[in-house]
Amino acid sequence: MYKWIEINLDAIKENYLKVRDFVREETKILGVVKADAYGHGIIEVSRELENQGIDYLGVTEISEGIQLREAGINVPILVFGPFLPEDIYYIKEFDLTVSLADLKSIKLIKDKGVKVKTHIKLETGLGRTGIKYTQLDEMVGLLKNDENIEVEGIYTHLATAMWDNLSFTMQQYSEFLKAIEFIESKGFIIPVKHICNSAALAKFPEMHLDMVRAGTILYGQEVAGKQDFHGQLINAWALKGQITYLNELPKGHSIGYERAHILKKNSKTAIVPVGFSHGFSVEPIPRPGGVMDLIKILGKTILRYLDHSRVKTYVKIRDKYVPIIGKVGMQMTILDVSDIPDIKIGEIVELPGRRTNISPTLPKVFMKEGKPIRVRKITEKYEEISMAAK
Ligand SMILES: *Cc1c(COP(=O)(O)O)cnc(C)c1O
């Protein structure tokens, strides 16, 4: 198969059960499966979570919700992102729960007169989407006694839950509680209140409220900061490829584009057919969040320039770590395999990857009890555009 992504569904189940164990029995769990379940395969992951009895699933877009319903997923699905007027029909048709993030969308649903389930999304500091404190009075006026709009929940999203400094998280939490208090003082009671993402659910049990929204943690990625899950989560994702070519090159030979690497000794090299067109070794470089962040990024860049072993990327072959040398190409990466003299064509290499960056077009192999049970291959599909739509 040359290259594929291996997904351990048992790991996702175990991580879910750990979260289930950790939160109070009456606290619901929403599994976040947006962005193809963070690169783990939205349908398979959602099925596994549904089988484990998860209460809700969460996605960003209406289309992701439709995909889940078409695959036969029956648990409630909360769509976090905003929707367009033309989506109203689909929301009802596919029984999706939508986020009310402004007064306009509330009015839109009222105008259409369709029955929908909703959660109110409040702005408390993330500055993305959400109803503001000053709009709550009007909001309650629009929603109270409306027969069509069922307000099942209310939530907000944290901006800095990954930080050790808690002050902004605490500020957002208290803004959230203050807004709920105001709404309830108007006699409008909302059953499901939620604020925690993975980092917050691991660090602040007192904030669990009626539901937690778990993403990162379900996939076995450590969440930043001091918390109770360190070393307990199981990684669910691996990028794998096979060696397709072996070579021997002398000391002084250059490797790859721009001669970015020069061999320091006679070496054995190998090709693995994965490159930046598959999203491999593509790292987002966001604007630094502060001076410390800036220094860290600069330091890393300098070490990388010096080809320092601390910033080299290593791949795993038979439990050995071997370095990538030269620049990663579009579809090929060069390895220095001198330390594995008996290496063979076809051997399996495990590569590190940023899971939400790796191309969803790579086949996904789903594993249970250590055995592959299913492969997802994405094949090209074309739809004709009808004359009327043009
Ligand atoms: C992505 C997302 C989450 C999950 O975040 P993690 O840090 O991955 O747990 C929770 N809530 C909302 C609204 C999100 O968009």
Side-chain angles (χ1 to χ4, degrees):
M1 212 160 23
Y2 284 74
K3 54 197 174 277
W4 64 95
I5 295 162
E6 218 166 86
I7 304 297
N8 180 355
L9 290 172
D10 293 326
I12 292 169
K13 169 178 151 189
E14 290 302 319
N15 296 332
Y16 165 72
L17 292 175
K18 278 194 188 111
V19 175
R20 187 61 273 174
D21 245 19
F22 184 68
V23 304
R24 284 171 301 135
E25 207 175 319
E26 61 272 25
T27 299
K28 295 178 197 297
I29 298 174
L30 176 150
V32 182
V33 294
K34 65 192 182 193
D36 199 23
Y38 294 39
H40 295 68
I42 184 169
I43 304 298
E44 295 292 330
V45 168
S46 299
R47 258 194 212 125
E48 183 65 37
L49 293 172
E50 183 174 45
N51 289 341
Q52 295 309 318
I54 202 152
D55 302 287
Y56 267 84
L57 293 170
V59 293
T60 306
E61 295 178 10
I62 301 291
S63 62
E64 296 174 305
I66 294 174
Q67 193 188 353
L68 288 174
R69 288 285 182 248
E70 286 184 332
I73 302 289
N74 290 313
V75 284
I77 297 170
L78 176 60
V79 180
F80 301 136
F83 52 89
L84 295 174
E86 57 263 39
D87 287 328
I88 298 278
Y89 165 80
Y90 295 105
I91 292 165
K92 187 172 156 39
E93 175 75 15
F94 291 96
D95 189 23
L96 304 175
T97 304
V98 288
S99 299
L100 299 176
D102 57 15
L103 300 178
K104 254 200 214 112
S105 51
I106 298 175
K107 287 175 191 155
L108 178 78
I109 299 176
K110 282 176 87 84
D111 283 352
K112 300 261 179 180
V114 286
K115 254 191 151 52
V116 291
K117 287 184 213 137
T118 66
H119 284 217
I120 293 165
K121 169 79 197 293
L122 292 179
E123 169 62 59
T124 60
L126 183 63
R128 203 155 71 174
T129 62
I131 293 175
K132 298 173 190 80
Y133 193 81
T134 51
Q135 299 172 313
L136 293 181
D137 207 16
E138 192 181 344
M139 179 197 84
V140 173
L142 288 168
L143 292 172
K144 210 175 163 186
N145 307 320
D146 186 293
E147 292 133 38
N148 287 322
I149 304 181
E150 182 190 337
V151 181
E152 190 182 62
I154 183 163
Y155 74 104
T156 192
H157 197 28
L158 297 168
T160 62
M162 66 294 268
W163 286 2
D164 288 332
N165 183 336
L166 313 181
S167 65
F168 196 73
T169 297
M170 291 306 165
Q171 187 184 317
Q172 281 195 272
Y173 185 53
S174 74
E175 293 283 323
F176 184 56
L177 296 184
K178 195 174 86 183
I180 292 169
E181 200 180 299
F182 177 87
I183 293 166
E184 300 204 327
S185 77
K186 303 271 161 186
F188 189 60
I189 308 300
I190 305 169
V192 187
K193 306 168 181 78
H194 48 111
I195 185 166
C196 286
N197 59 0
S198 294
L201 91 83
K203 292 197 276 189
F204 314 118
E206 68 281 8
M207 289 190 195
H208 288 179
L209 304 177
D210 304 301
M211 182 156 84
V212 293
R213 305 187 302 270
T216 314
I217 209 166
L218 292 179
Y219 306 108
Q221 286 179 294
E222 291 285 332
V223 295
K226 246 194 152 75
Q227 36 85 12
D228 293 330
F229 285 89
H230 272 316
Q232 287 193 40
L233 300 170
I234 309 172
N235 173 33
W237 186 98
L239 171 61
K240 298 197 171 174
Q242 285 180 291
I243 300 281
T244 52
Y245 186 85
L246 289 167
N247 203 1
E248 276 172 40
L249 291 170
K251 177 181 170 186
H253 205 290
S254 67
I255 298 293
Y257 289 126
E258 301 200 65
R259 310 191 70 204
H261 184 83
I262 306 289
L263 292 177
K264 292 188 186 73
K265 55 181 174 47
N266 297 343
S267 304
K268 190 156 194 159
T269 64
I271 299 292
V272 58
V274 177
F276 65 76
S277 70
H278 308 109
F280 179 60
S281 93
V282 180
E283 291 283 328
I285 307 183
R287 184 172 163 260
V291 177
M292 282 314 289
D293 204 19
L294 172 67
I295 292 170
K296 243 194 241 163
I297 292 170
L298 288 177
K300 251 193 181 167
T301 308
I302 291 167
L303 288 178
R304 223 173 253 147
Y305 172 72
L306 297 172
D307 210 10
H308 194 278
S309 61
R310 257 191 67 183
V311 292
K312 273 199 181 126
T313 308
Y314 292 84
V315 304
K316 201 162 112 182
I317 305 174
R318 306 183 197 167
D319 292 326
K320 266 208 168 97
Y321 287 90
V322 306
I324 289 172
I325 49 175
K327 288 196 168 191
V328 168
M330 203 180 280
Q331 294 174 292
M332 283 198 243
T333 293
I334 308 167
L335 312 174
D336 183 339
V337 292
S338 304
D339 284 348
I340 313 178
D342 62 337
I343 187 151
K344 294 188 183 64
I345 293 283
E347 275 202 58
I348 294 173
V349 180
E350 186 175 335
L351 305 103
R354 225 186 140 84
R355 37 191 98 183
T356 45
N357 273 11
I358 298 295
S359 170
T361 60
L362 293 193
K364 279 196 174 69
V365 179
F366 296 93
M367 312 284 287
K368 266 197 173 251
E369 291 163 14
K371 291 196 188 76
I373 54 158
R374 203 165 290 127
V375 180
R376 181 183 96 176
K377 289 186 180 169
I378 293 185
T379 48
E380 259 183 299
K381 199 174 138 195
Y382 295 87
E383 273 174 40
E384 296 305 324
I385 296 169
S386 74
M387 288 311 282
K390 282 181 206 168

